[in-house]
Amino acid sequence: IRPLATFIANTCLNEHGHLFVLSLLDAVDDTKFLTKHVIKEINESYAELVESQYGRRVMVYLLLGGNKRFFHQDLLSLFRNSRLNPFTKKSDEARQSELLSSTAVPFLKFAAENLKVLTQDNTNILLLKEILCECIPSKVPSLDREELLALRATVLSRLCSDYVNKSYTPPAHPSIPNKGIPNAKEERK
């Protein structure tokens, strides 16, 4: 794993390489080693990963583990053998909690700095939702509670100020003419 540490970000962008990274995250018990060599590289390259569907899969796996909402059963069956390993010392929940504790703060910082990128399309909005739902103090008790809450508040306040408080009108579907909102007087006539 050490010689591959500098190529992890590029591997995450590859169609088959991201499966290798997902299997590393799923099978290796030593999460401190993973944090030092793999997750550190992933944390530094969120901007590139969010642009690729395979990179987003790695990001979602760091947040949720093998959640059936985001990963097909066939893909999860590839990792089943590592979960049935009799020599593993950690449960899936413990491993996922440790992975999330090493990525929660970088995820929230990335979301605060790149809110426009995360709100451009539906897949990135789902990623933003999972970042805000998973990076909470009750799910990551090992981190500083105030820091997590402050980062979440920063993301939410920027989201509200940029998108909720402005009179934002979404673009109409190309087949529907955009006539705007009719005036009440015109409605009565």
Side-chain angles (χ1 to χ4, degrees):
I1 297 174
R2 282 187 193 133
L4 295 174
T6 57
F7 302 108
I8 290 294
N10 289 334
T11 306
C12 290
L13 299 174
N14 188 328
E15 179 182 359
H16 302 289
H18 85 284
L19 295 174
F20 169 73
V21 175
L22 291 179
S23 64
L24 276 179
L25 297 174
D26 190 64
V28 176
D29 276 344
D30 190 0
T31 53
K32 292 191 185 228
F33 179 79
L34 280 177
T35 301
K36 186 188 251 185
H37 296 287
V38 176
I39 296 175
K40 179 183 172 191
E41 181 79 20
I42 293 172
N43 287 344
E44 294 171 355
S45 58
Y46 284 150
E48 295 87 30
L49 296 179
V50 78
E51 298 294 327
S52 164
Q53 67 176 347
Y54 305 116
R56 274 192 303 271
R57 281 187 189 172
V58 173
M59 294 172 79
V60 168
Y61 192 87
L62 285 170
L63 285 168
L64 299 171
N67 192 320
K68 293 179 183 176
R69 287 185 307 163
F70 290 95
F71 295 100
H72 193 271
Q73 188 62 35
D74 292 341
L75 181 65
L76 293 176
S77 67
L78 291 173
F79 304 134
R80 175 165 289 187
N81 292 336
S82 66
R83 290 194 180 124
L84 299 176
N85 183 359
F87 302 107
T88 187
K89 296 176 184 171
K90 292 183 183 175
S91 66
D92 289 340
E93 294 80 21
R95 183 183 305 115
Q96 180 57 36
S97 175
E98 291 176 9
L99 289 175
L100 186 59
S101 68
S102 64
T103 58
V105 172
F107 267 130
L108 288 170
K109 286 181 180 177
F110 171 75
E113 295 167 0
N114 300 292
L115 198 56
K116 187 170 184 169
V117 172
L118 288 172
T119 54
Q120 284 181 345
D121 64 0
N122 290 341
T123 54
N124 289 346
I125 289 174
L126 285 174
L127 179 64
L128 176 64
K129 176 206 165 261
E130 294 303 330
I131 289 172
L132 291 173
C133 290
E134 294 298 317
C135 299
I136 56 175
S138 63
K139 292 193 178 189
V140 193
S142 62
L143 295 178
D144 184 26
R145 178 182 173 82
E146 284 75 28
E147 182 182 13
L148 278 178
L149 292 176
L151 284 169
R152 287 187 81 238
T154 301
V155 173
L156 290 172
S157 67
R158 286 184 184 169
L159 184 65
C160 290
S161 68
D162 288 349
Y163 298 98
V164 176
N165 293 336
K166 293 181 181 177
S167 58
Y168 174 72
T169 55
H173 191 273
S175 64
I176 302 172
N178 189 4
K179 296 180 180 177
I181 300 173
N183 194 348
K185 291 180 182 178
E186 293 174 9
E187 280 278 324
R188 285 185 239 143
K189 290 182 183 180

